C-alpha cells in the first residue's frame, strides 16, 4: 500500500498528457504494479457530465478525480491521471486531497506546438468560434510554480520522457 502513488499529468490540450500517462501506466504495469488510469475526457463523458469549463467547474472536475484517486490509493492501487488542471488553485486542490502521495508532472509544450499537433481538432474548432473558455487561448493556463517535475514533450520522445520520469522518481524517493 505504501508503494502506491498518484502520478498527475497536467498541461495544455495537446501537450502530451494522455500519451505520457498511457505509456507510464503500461510501464508501471510491466513492473507488476496495479494501476488505475484516470483521464479528463473520460471523467467528463460520465461522472462529471454535469460540469462545464468555468474555473469553478474545472476545480470540481479535478476534486472529484482526486477523491477517486484517493479511494484507489487506499486499495493499494497506483493512479496515473491526465487532467489539464490549468490554474494554481486546481493543482493546490489535488495536493490538498492527496497530500504527499501525489506527484504533479507538468507536461510542457508551447501553445504553438499544441496548435500544430491539434490531436483532437479542438484548436481549429476554437479558431472557428465553436469553443469558449479554451485553455491557453480564451481561458487561462498558469505556468506552474508547484510541479514536482517538468517534462518537455518538444525535446524528447515518449520513451525518453518516461525514462526521465522513472529516473527522477527513483532519485526523489531513494
Ligand atoms: P493531451 O492529452 O495533453 O491533450 P495527447 O497526448 O492527446 O495530448 O497528444 C499529444 C500529441 O503529441 C500526440 O499526438 C503525441 O504522439 C505527440 N507527441 C510527440 N512527442 C511527444 C512526447 N514526447 N510525449 C507525449 N506526446 C508526444
Amino acid at each position: 500500500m505504501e508503494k502506491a502513488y498518484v502520478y498527475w499529468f497536467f498541461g495544455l490540450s495537446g501537450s502530451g498528457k494522455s500519451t505520457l500517462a498511457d505509456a507510464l501506466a503500461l510501464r508501471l504495469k510491466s513492473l507488476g504494479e496495479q494501476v488505475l488510469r484516470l483521464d479528463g475526457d473520460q471523467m467528463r463523458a460520465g461522472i462529471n457530465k454535469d460540469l462545464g469549463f468555468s474555473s469553478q467547474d474545472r476545480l470540481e472536475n479535478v476534486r472529484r478525480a482526486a477523491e477517486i484517486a484517493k479511494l484507489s490509493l487506499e486499495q493499494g492501487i497506483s493512479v496515473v491521471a491526465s487532467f489539464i488542471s490549468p490554474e494554481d488553485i486546481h493543482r493546490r486542490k489535488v495536493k490538498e486531497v492527496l497530500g504527499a502521495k501525489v506527484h504533479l508532472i507538468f507536461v510542457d509544450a508551447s501553445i504553438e506546438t499544441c496548435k500544430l499537433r491539434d490531436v483532437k481538432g479542438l484548436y481549429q474548432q476554437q479558431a472557428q468560434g465553436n469553443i469558449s473558455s479554451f485553455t491557453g487561448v480564451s481561458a487561462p493556463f498558469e505556468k506552474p510554480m508547484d510541479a514536482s517535475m517538468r517534462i518537455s514533450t518538444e525535446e524528447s520522445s515518449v520513451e525518453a520522457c518516461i525514462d526521465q520520469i522513472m529516473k527522477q522518481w527513483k532519485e526523489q524517493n531513494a
Side-chain angles (χ1 to χ4, degrees):
M1 187 124 89
E2 296 78 42
K3 284 179 121 191
Y5 286 95
V6 179
Y7 303 82
W8 190 285
F9 291 90
F10 68 96
L12 292 169
S13 178
S15 58
K17 301 178 297 297
S18 311
T19 305
L20 290 182
D22 287 344
L24 180 64
L26 271 181
R27 179 78 70 95
L28 294 174
K29 281 180 188 169
S30 77
L31 296 171
E33 271 198 54
Q34 277 190 288
V35 180
L36 172 68
R37 199 41 199 98
L38 290 177
D39 179 73
D41 289 342
Q42 170 203 48
M43 291 279 296
R44 284 182 175 280
I47 201 163
N48 286 351
K49 246 185 187 163
D50 56 321
L51 300 176
F53 290 88
S54 66
S55 180
Q56 209 48 40
D57 277 11
R58 289 171 188 261
L59 187 65
E60 181 59 10
N61 185 42
V62 296
R63 188 195 68 80
R64 289 181 196 170
E67 290 289 354
I68 293 170
K70 192 172 165 188
L71 293 175
S72 181
L73 280 183
E74 285 167 12
Q75 309 284 319
I77 300 168
S78 285
V79 179
V80 181
S82 46
F83 290 83
I84 296 175
S85 330
E87 296 171 57
D88 274 335
I89 51 162
H90 304 139
R91 275 105 58 175
R92 278 205 305 274
K93 176 58 75 181
V94 172
K95 269 266 171 212
E96 187 187 308
V97 175
L98 294 164
K101 283 288 186 177
V102 68
H103 192 52
L104 286 162
I105 304 162
F106 172 39
V107 183
D108 197 4
S110 68
I111 190 83
E112 290 76 22
T113 296
C114 294
K115 278 181 185 170
L116 280 175
R117 287 177 180 165
D118 205 6
V119 189
K120 298 173 209 154
L122 293 175
Y123 286 93
Q124 195 186 352
Q125 281 190 46
Q126 200 283 329
Q128 290 166 349
N130 298 330
I131 306 178
S132 57
S133 300
F134 193 64
T135 306
V137 184
S138 53
F141 182 82
E142 293 173 355
K143 282 227 171 190
M145 313 289 287
D146 54 355
S148 343
M149 198 187 286
R150 169 188 168 272
I151 296 287
S152 169
T153 61
E154 290 182 342
E155 292 155 14
S156 321
S157 68
V158 174
E159 279 311 302
C161 289
I162 298 302
D163 288 343
Q164 197 184 329
I165 292 167
M166 297 295 284
K167 183 166 173 276
Q168 284 195 35
W169 177 241
K170 274 186 196 141
E171 284 166 9
Q172 283 173 15
N173 292 279

